[in-house]
Amino acid sequence: MDDILIVENLVKHYPIRKGVVPTTVGYVRAVDGVSFSIPRGKTLGLVGESGCGKTTTGRVILRLIPPTSGRVMFEGRDVFALSERELRTLRREMQIIFQDPYGSLNPRMTVGAMLAEPILVHGKKAENGTISDKASDHTTTRDPRLMSFKRRRAKEGVVELLDLVGLSPEHASRYPHEFSGGQRQRIGIARALALNPKFIVCDEAVSALDVSIQAQILNLLRDLQKRFEITYLFIAHDLAVVKHISDRVAVMYLGEIVEEADTNEVFSNPLHPYTQALLSAIPEPVPKKKSERVRLEGDVPTPIDPPVGCRFHTRCPIAIAECKVAKPPLVEISPGHRVACIRTDISVSFENRKL
């Protein structure tokens, strides 16, 4: 399939500085060699424990955070090689929905002003049910007639955006604190859609919402994807949410991807012990159904000094001596199913494994 986004060996290390004259004494290895691709119009779910590097990955892809090394190709363009002017143009096509729907909105601006701002700055307008690209690019001109036209078109765009996410036109005059959490997240989604993007990073987009509201937002994201052929990188720690919305799932642990496959394959045939542990922690909706919990001992190692060899071996229930020395590559075990584990020869189901 046509891959709209290709990430190759992405690395982000944060320097640790100490002393009166700041000297680098080490690095926090937040993202350490991540590679994946996303087909156009599909969703890749990126899951893992807090601190594993999911959010950093999403923000580095968008160049909201500068990378240490690696390459990100978006529709054949090297994102990290673009100039500031070229990057500004690319911002129209790559957007983000932040985790905190309140903290990501300006409390001093009305919803209408927030949604109109990107339309005015980037020269977009609403037309025929979509946010199109026909407005003038002369955004710095002071021609009163052109400015009046832009404001009128921006106002129409705001009304359309609010309708897309299930809000009313009168909501445009309100401030963020006047909305519920679910409504604020809808506003965040509308702001991400303002420039008619092709790719959106959903950074824990529903984790701060009640379960009933989560379902509404997830259904909204899926409907928008079908309507506008949007590609999502869906970052989450809730596997039940990821299963509902994702076409493929990538599992991260301590800055690295340890398993990637189609959603059904990950949930029915998890091969990495860490993936198995995550899946075993999902609550069963059937009260009488019994399932064995895979319990991981110990804490997640620090990304400042990750373990040698397999980074999961300090908590892995099936680790052997070789795991402490050899770093397992992310290899394709079956078509479309990649795993970073030297013990994938073990065929015992995680549900039946006795620890």
Side-chain angles (χ1 to χ4, degrees):
M1 298 184 66
D2 175 24
D3 290 331
I4 191 173
L5 183 79
I6 301 175
V7 179
E8 298 177 349
N9 199 29
L10 186 64
V11 175
K12 177 58 183 177
H13 294 171
Y14 293 97
I16 303 171
R17 304 182 185 275
K18 291 184 178 181
V20 177
V21 179
T23 304
T24 301
V25 297
Y27 293 90
V28 177
R29 302 173 181 272
V31 180
D32 213 6
V34 167
S35 300
F36 58 81
S37 62
I38 310 179
R40 188 181 303 274
K42 300 297 183 180
T43 301
L44 174 69
L46 192 60
V47 302
E49 294 173 282
S50 297
C52 71
K54 306 185 301 297
T55 293
T56 302
T57 298
R59 297 192 180 195
V60 172
I61 288 173
L62 298 179
R63 255 181 77 175
L64 299 178
I65 301 174
T68 300
S69 64
R71 189 169 72 154
V72 172
M73 301 296 295
F74 179 76
E75 291 195 317
R77 291 168 287 179
D78 189 343
V79 176
F80 299 158
L82 298 179
S83 65
E84 291 297 326
R85 183 181 182 87
E86 292 171 328
L87 184 61
R88 179 180 175 181
T89 302
L90 189 66
R91 294 282 187 223
R92 304 175 184 179
E93 302 177 16
M94 303 173 73
Q95 291 289 309
I96 184 171
I97 301 171
F98 294 98
Q99 176 179 359
D100 184 359
Y102 186 68
S104 62
L105 302 178
N106 190 333
R108 295 182 177 87
M109 295 178 67
T110 64
V111 168
M114 280 187 284
L115 296 182
E117 185 175 41
I119 300 175
L120 290 170
V121 170
H122 289 275
K124 297 283 181 173
K125 68 175 183 176
E127 185 174 282
N128 298 329
T130 62
I131 307 302
S132 65
D133 200 6
K134 298 180 182 178
S136 171
D137 289 331
H138 302 292
T139 56
T140 59
T141 182
R142 295 299 179 184
D143 186 338
R145 292 172 298 176
L146 182 57
M147 292 304 294
S148 176
F149 168 79
K150 286 185 177 181
R151 292 191 182 97
R152 185 173 68 254
R153 303 308 293 171
K155 185 175 181 180
E156 294 174 0
V158 168
V159 173
E160 181 189 354
L161 287 167
L162 290 173
D163 180 65
L164 278 175
V165 298
L167 296 175
S168 303
E170 56 265 26
H171 288 143
S173 61
R174 298 183 186 178
Y175 289 87
H177 71 272
E178 300 180 75
F179 294 90
S180 66
Q183 289 175 318
R184 285 196 288 261
Q185 195 59 289
R186 289 175 184 268
I187 296 168
I189 294 172
R191 183 175 60 181
L193 292 171
L195 300 177
N196 193 23
K198 299 177 181 178
F199 172 67
I200 298 179
V201 174
C202 303
D203 183 14
E204 302 275 9
V206 298
S207 63
L209 307 177
D210 293 335
V211 175
S212 59
I213 305 300
Q214 283 185 4
Q216 296 176 19
I217 298 300
L218 290 174
N219 290 333
L220 172 63
L221 289 173
R222 295 190 68 176
D223 291 342
L224 292 171
Q225 184 178 48
K226 293 178 181 178
R227 182 171 179 179
F228 300 114
E229 199 180 12
I230 302 172
T231 305
Y232 293 136
L233 173 62
F234 194 87
I235 299 170
H237 62 269
D238 189 335
L239 287 168
V241 169
V242 170
K243 183 179 181 180
H244 179 73
I245 196 172
S246 300
D247 298 291
R248 288 182 63 83
V249 175
V251 181
M252 281 192 74
Y253 182 81
L254 208 60
E256 298 179 340
I257 290 180
V258 297
E259 186 164 5
E260 181 191 357
D262 291 341
T263 301
N264 291 335
E265 177 72 9
V266 168
F267 280 81
S268 63
N269 184 35
L271 297 179
H272 197 281
Y274 179 62
T275 308
Q276 296 168 357
L278 290 179
L279 292 178
S280 74
I282 300 177
E284 287 288 349
V286 182
K288 295 183 178 181
K289 184 177 179 179
K290 295 182 179 180
S291 60
E292 186 176 345
R293 174 76 180 272
V294 179
R295 299 185 182 276
L296 301 178
E297 301 294 336
D299 298 322
V300 179
T302 172
I304 298 175
D305 185 23
V308 178
C310 176
R311 294 190 173 182
F312 186 61
H313 83 259
T314 59
R315 306 173 68 197
C316 182
I318 59 171
I320 57 178
E322 187 179 352
C323 299
K324 302 177 182 180
V325 180
K327 182 177 180 179
L330 188 63
V331 297
E332 192 171 45
I333 302 299
S334 60
H337 195 160
R338 300 192 301 162
V339 183
C341 180
I342 63 174
R343 306 222 58 195
T344 51
D345 58 322
I346 296 179
S347 60
V348 180
S349 169
F350 78 95
E351 293 183 349
N352 299 322
R353 182 178 297 145
K354 295 182 179 180
L355 305 181

